[in-house]
Amino acid sequence: FVAIACGADHSVALRDDGTVVTWGAKTGGERGDAPASGGFVAIACGFSHSVALRDDGTAVTWGDHSMGQRDNAPDSKGFVSIACGFSHSVALRNDGAVVTWGRTSE
């Protein structure tokens, strides 16, 4: 593995071949909805959702969606970094812009 991240009851790991492995709770899809394909370069976990960054600069989300955590990120091309909070996600674009989605009160 080249990266690991933990949520409240689930964990995500990134393999060196760009595939994602998940374990732990799956009550909100934390595990079962994880992407099966490869091409990922970064991962992040919120309380019960996760985000993975593809090598093409797009983000893939899975897990809980009760507060919009799985909404497609606006302008989801050109991301270079991702992070998750309790029920929201943040991405940094290659032009320096910060994009957020999920719970809007955080």
Side-chain angles (χ1 to χ4, degrees), residues 4-99:
I4 55 172
C6 295
D9 294 323
H10 73 289
S11 299
V12 178
L14 179 64
R15 290 184 171 145
D16 61 358
D17 66 358
T19 58
V20 172
V21 177
T22 62
W23 64 95
K26 64 176 184 173
T27 55
E30 298 95 322
R31 224 179 52 205
D33 296 340
S37 61
F40 294 99
V41 296
I43 52 173
C45 288
F47 185 79
S48 58
H49 76 287
S50 300
V51 179
L53 179 64
R54 289 189 183 279
D55 56 9
D56 66 358
T58 58
V60 175
T61 61
W62 68 95
D64 185 30
H65 185 58
S66 62
M67 297 183 191
Q69 304 94 307
R70 288 177 53 179
D71 286 343
N72 290 331
D75 302 319
S76 64
K77 296 219 178 207
F79 291 152
V80 295
S81 182
I82 54 171
C84 291
F86 183 84
S87 58
H88 69 288
S89 299
V90 180
L92 176 66
R93 284 200 327 224
N94 56 9
D95 63 2
V98 175
V99 177

